[in-house]
C-alpha cells in the first residue's frame, strides 16, 4: 500500500519554500518559518562539488526533525545523473514526507522513480517537477500514474521551462499560460495537488503578489518559493479570504433552508447558485478549517 493522491490532496500547501540543502543557515531558519512545505534541494540550487555534502545534510536534517507541521520534501537529482541513484536510495531510507523528482518527461519516468522507492516507507509520496517541453504532450498520461504509484503532487518548474522553450519569463508569464492551465486541469483530473513555479524577483513583493494571484486564478493549491519574504504574502493569497468565507457560509445556509430542499439551482445574493457552488463552498470552509488547525 502506498500513500494515494486522495490521502494527501486536501492538506494545505499554500507555500513551499526551496532551500539548497547545502546551506546550513537556511536549513536552521526553515524550521522557524511559516511555510506549509519545505523542499530541501539537492538539484538545481546545489553546485556539483557540493552534491554529496548536500545529500548528507538533507538526510541529517530530516532525521533531526524540528520542522513541526511543515511537510518536508527532498528534491533529488535526476535518476540518470551521476548523483540520482544515491539520492533516491538515501531519501527512500529517510522519514521525508516526499521525494521531489526533476524533469519528468513521461509516465515511464514516473514508473522508474516509483520503482526506485520500492523499499521506502508506505507513506512516502512521489512529487514531480513539471518543467520540460517533452512533458507538455504527456500531461494526462503522467497524471494518470497517480492511480498506480506514489505520485501525489506536481510542482511547475517555470525556470527550466523558460530555458528549454527559449521563452522569456516576464511578469505576466504569457508564454507559459496554456501550459500552466493544462497542467492544472491534468492534475485535477487525477486528484493530484499542484503548486505554481517560483518567482525569481524576491526583492519585488508587489510583482510577487501579482504573480501569486495569477497562480490562484489558475487553480493552483499554492506556490513554490525561494525566499522567506515570499511566505506571508503567499499564505495570504492562498488562504480563503473573509469575503470567500462569507459567500461560502451564505451558500451553505441557503441550501439548508427548508424551501430549498431538493432544488439544484437557487438565488443567493442575487446570483444563480447551483449544487456545484455548494460543493465549492464546502471545500472553502474545509480548507479554512485545515489552515486554522495547522496554526
Ligand atoms: N530558505 C531559508 N532561509 C533563507 C532562504 C531560503 N530559501 N533564502 C534566504 N534565507 C535566509 C538567509 O539565510 C538570511 O538569513 P539571516 O537573516 O538569518 O541571515 C535571510 O533569509 C535573508 O536572506 P537574504 O540576504 O535576503 O538572501 P540571500 O541573498 O542570502 O539569498 C538566494 C538569496 C536567492 C540565493 C536565496 O534566497 C536562496 O538560496 N533561495 C533558494 C534557492 C533555491 O533553492 N532554488 C531552487 C529552486 S528554484
Ligand atoms: Mg528545475
Amino acid at each position: 500500500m502506498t500513500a494515494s493522491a486522495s490521502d494527501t490532496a486536501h492538506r494545505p500547501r499554500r507555500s513551499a519554500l526551496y532551500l539548497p540543502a547545502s546551506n546550513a543557515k537556511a536549513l536552521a531558519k526553515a524550521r522557524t518559518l511559516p511555510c506549509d512545505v519545505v523542499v530541501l534541494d539537492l538539484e538545481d540550487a546545489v553546485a556539483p562539488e557540493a552534491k554529496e555534502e548536500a545529500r548528507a545534510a538533507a538526510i541529517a536534517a530530516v532525521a533531526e526533525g524540528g520542522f513541526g507541521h511543515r511537510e518536508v520534501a527532498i528534491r533529488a537529482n535526476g535518476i540518470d545523473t551521476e548523483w540520482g541513484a544515491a539520492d533516491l536510495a538515501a531519501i527512500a531510507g529517510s522519514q521525508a514526507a516526499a521525494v521531489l523528482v526533476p524533469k519528468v518527461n513521461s509516465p515511464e519516468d514516473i514508473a522508474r522513480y516509483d520503482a526506485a522507492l520500492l523499499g521506502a516507507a508506505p507513506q512516502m509520496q512521489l512529487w514531480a517537477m513539471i518543467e520540460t517541453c517533452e512533458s507538455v504532450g504527456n500531461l494526462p498520461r503522467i497524471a494518470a500514474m497517480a492511480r498506480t504509484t506514489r505520485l501525489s503532487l506536481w510542482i511547475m518548474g517555470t525556470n527550466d521551462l523558460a530555458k528549454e522553450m527559449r521563452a522569456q519569463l516576464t511578469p505576466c508569464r504569457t508564454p507559459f499560460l496554456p501550459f500552466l492551465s493544462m497542467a492544472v486541469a491534468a492534475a485535477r483530473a487525477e486528484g493530484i495537488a499542484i503548486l505554481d513555479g517560483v518567482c525569481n524577483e524576491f526583492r519585488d513583493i508587489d510583482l510577487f503578489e501579482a504573480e501569486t494571484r495569477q497562480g490562484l486564478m489558475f487553480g493552483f493549491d499554492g506556490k513554490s518559493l525561494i525566499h522567506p519574504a515570499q511566505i506571508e504574502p503567499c499564505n495570504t493569497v492562498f488562504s480563503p479570504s473573509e469575503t470567500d468565507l462569507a459567500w461560502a457560509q451564505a451558500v451553505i445556509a441557503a441550501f439548508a433552508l427548508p424551501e430549498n430542499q431538493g432544488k439544484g439551482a437557487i438565488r443567493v445574493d442575487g446570483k444563480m447558485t447551483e449544487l456545484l457552488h455548494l460543493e465549492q463552498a464546502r471545500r472553502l470552509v474545509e480548507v479554512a478549517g485545515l489552515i486554522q488547525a495547522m496554526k
Side-chain angles (χ1 to χ4, degrees):
M1 261 259 314
T2 56
S4 73
S6 59
D7 292 337
T8 67
H10 292 296
R11 192 187 168 104
R13 294 189 184 103
R14 300 164 297 173
S15 49
L17 179 69
Y18 285 109
L19 53 110
S22 49
N23 182 339
K25 203 170 166 194
L27 247 174
K29 198 174 177 93
R31 294 180 166 95
T32 69
L33 295 168
C35 51
D36 295 340
V37 180
V38 173
V39 182
L40 310 179
D41 192 21
L42 311 182
E43 200 224 4
D44 284 341
V46 177
E49 51 276 18
K51 294 285 190 191
E52 314 266 335
E53 176 209 329
R55 182 194 305 136
I59 300 299
V62 170
E64 195 183 326
F67 290 94
H69 70 274
R70 299 163 198 82
E71 210 172 14
V72 182
I74 305 179
R75 184 163 76 171
N77 288 285
I79 198 163
D80 292 321
T81 67
E82 61 179 289
W83 311 283
D87 286 353
L88 291 164
I91 301 166
S94 79
Q95 292 302 308
V99 49
L100 173 61
V101 298
K103 301 177 179 73
V104 166
N105 287 322
S106 64
E108 291 74 27
D109 284 350
I110 295 293
R112 288 178 71 204
Y113 282 111
D114 197 60
L117 297 176
L118 205 60
Q123 67 275 16
M124 185 174 285
Q125 303 163 64
L126 174 58
W127 293 358
M129 296 297 303
I130 299 297
E131 55 183 348
T132 67
C133 290
E134 199 177 330
S135 70
V136 175
N138 291 331
L139 292 173
R141 293 173 58 235
I142 298 171
M145 293 300 284
R147 298 176 200 170
T148 51
T149 68
R150 298 170 187 259
L151 179 65
S152 64
L153 182 142
W154 285 354
I155 302 185
M156 303 311 293
T158 33
N159 279 323
D160 265 296
L161 204 51
K163 173 180 167 243
E164 282 203 8
M165 289 166 64
R166 297 189 200 145
Q168 292 174 358
L169 200 47
T170 56
C172 43
R173 301 198 292 176
T174 313
F176 308 98
L177 300 185
F179 190 50
L180 295 177
S181 58
M182 283 177 59
V184 172
R188 294 287 171 235
E190 300 291 345
I192 293 176
I194 182 162
L195 309 185
D196 200 355
V198 302
C199 177
N200 299 332
E201 311 277 343
F202 64 90
R203 297 283 188 234
D204 187 341
I205 290 300
D206 290 343
L207 192 156
F208 171 77
E209 255 183 42
E211 187 177 301
T212 305
R213 290 202 180 279
Q214 186 192 43
L216 176 76
M217 183 176 78
F218 270 86
F220 286 105
D221 295 298
K223 188 168 175 68
S224 51
L225 311 175
I226 52 163
H227 192 274
Q230 296 178 324
I231 299 172
E232 297 275 12
C234 189
N235 283 347
T236 303
V237 169
F238 280 105
S239 300
S241 67
E242 304 256 311
T243 314
D244 294 337
L245 286 174
W247 169 82
Q249 266 135 16
V251 170
I252 291 167
F255 271 106
L257 292 172
E259 62 267 34
N260 289 332
Q261 295 311 299
K263 286 190 186 166
I266 60 173
R267 193 185 68 216
V268 180
D269 289 341
K271 279 190 223 160
M272 194 257 300
T273 306
E274 297 179 315
L275 286 170
L276 69 93
H277 297 112
L278 177 62
E279 276 180 50
Q280 287 177 317
R282 286 189 178 136
R283 188 180 164 276
L284 270 175
V285 171
E286 187 198 345
V287 169
L290 291 169
I291 291 169
Q292 195 57 39
M294 277 196 326
K295 282 183 184 163

